[in-house]
Amino acid sequence: MSIQEICRVAECARLGEGLYSITMHAPAICEKTQVGQFVHIACGEGNLLRRPISICDWQDGNLRIVFQVKGEGTKWLAARKEGDELDVLGPLGHGFDTKALGAKPVFIGGGIGVPPMLACVKKAAGEGAQPRAILGFRNKDAVILENDFKAVCEVFVTTDDGSYARHGFVTDVLKEIVADATGVAACGPKPMLKAIAAIADEAGLPCQVSMEERMGCGIGACLVCACALKAENGETRYGHVCKDGPVFDTKEVEW
Ligand SMILES: Cc1cc2nc3c(=O)[nH]c(=O)nc-3n(C[C@H](O)[C@H](O)[C@H](O)COP(=O)(O)OP(=O)(O)OC[C@H]3O[C@@H](n4cnc5c(N)ncnc54)[C@H](O)[C@@H]3O)c2cc1C
Ligand code: FES
């Protein structure tokens, strides 16, 4: 059951070029939130549709989102100030099942797919698991949340161009540590998710991925976010990313 809540902005921070963090007071939504779910935010009168943004973290009734400015909606969001009110619908969707990933889960984020993995590593650590995180970015300027993850678990950072940390892709690191893992969860660009799913599958590990599609209603009523999934009989069926996902078991995904 999702809730529409008017949330007062408690903290805004610029994390890098076009990258922002907003913490808002959202006690009713926080009470129901599971890791990997998202909120749908009204972004000003000129933008008819709400914008879907993953829940990065939440604590004591305060909910944090981290986002990149893409177009008009996120530009409007980035201009919010402490004390402003946001019209937020959430928590929406189906999140990650951290317990199903075992005692040594690996959480992987690519670019703006990194934020929702923060709550995942915290939850897994709280459940007594030994999570590790692999965070991949385009370059040094795009690196976000590294210290937030380091406060919780062992972290591997990669950059595509080698301008910071390890030169390469998250999959290079995953291949090296997969033998010592019990499950994998990831959020990021589709080609990255597909490559991760293949590595986890070869290692015989459970793997969950958060998929992204353009959204309209965010609650399963408009079909904008339709995605192809595998039916049990091997045929293709269609699901809603907003309601059936955004997190799916990779065995269900029709790549
Ligand atoms: C489940 C989910 C979680 C997300 N989490 C995050 C996050 O944590 N941080 C973050 O920076 N971004 C996230 N995104 C992407 C974010 O929703 C888009 O960048 C944002 O909607 C763009 O809106 P805009 O008005 O700035 O851009 P415009 O391109 O002007 O948007 C025009 C329309 O297209 C839709 N749209 C455009 N790009 C996307 C997209 N990638 N996904 C869905 N709808 C889109 C917008 O909602 C809007 O209706 C997420 C998307 C989904 C589906
Ligand atoms: S966004 Fe409308 S059905 Fe998913």
Side-chain angles (χ1 to χ4, degrees), residues 174-189:
L174 180 61
K175 281 177 196 160
E176 288 169 13
I177 67 172
V178 73
D180 186 36
T182 54
V184 181
C187 182

Side-chain angles (χ1 to χ4, degrees), residues 18-19 36-40 43 47 49-56 65-76 112-113 115-116 187 210-216 225 241-242 245-246:
L19 292 161
Q37 289 187 295
F38 66 97
V39 284
H40 220 194
C43 291
N47 296 303
L49 294 174
R50 289 172 180 268
R51 288 352 187 212
I53 303 287
S54 301
I55 295 168
C56 168
I65 54 167
V66 171
F67 62 95
Q68 184 170 34
V69 172
K70 282 277 171 66
E72 285 307 312
T74 44
K75 192 172 154 196
W76 181 91
I112 203 61
C187 182
S210 182
M211 308 288 284
E212 200 179 292
E213 282 296 338
R214 289 198 165 237
M215 286 189 184
C225 68
V241 169
C242 70

Side-chain angles (χ1 to χ4, degrees), residues 130-152:
Q130 281 179 274
R132 283 174 289 178
I134 312 175
L135 314 178
F137 303 94
R138 234 177 18 260
N139 55 39
K140 186 178 181 195
D141 293 339
V143 175
I144 48 169
L145 302 174
E146 183 184 3
N147 289 333
D148 297 73
F149 279 86
K150 280 190 169 158
V152 189

Side-chain angles (χ1 to χ4, degrees), residues 215-225 240 242:
M215 286 189 184
C217 68
I219 54 168
C222 75
L223 297 179
V224 166
C225 68
H240 298 104
C242 70

Side-chain angles (χ1 to χ4, degrees), residues 196-253:
I196 288 168
I199 296 168
D201 192 41
E202 200 182 318
L205 298 182
C207 184
Q208 301 166 25
V209 290
S210 182
M211 308 288 284
E212 200 179 292
E213 282 296 338
R214 289 198 165 237
M215 286 189 184
C217 68
I219 54 168
C222 75
L223 297 179
V224 166
C225 68
C227 68
L229 298 170
K230 281 185 193 129
E232 275 177 22
N233 62 6
E235 288 181 6
T236 301
R237 68 181 174 95
Y238 287 86
H240 298 104
V241 169
C242 70
K243 201 175 72 169
D244 307 317
V247 177
F248 294 94
D249 190 301
T250 49
K251 295 210 174 353
E252 274 187 278
V253 178

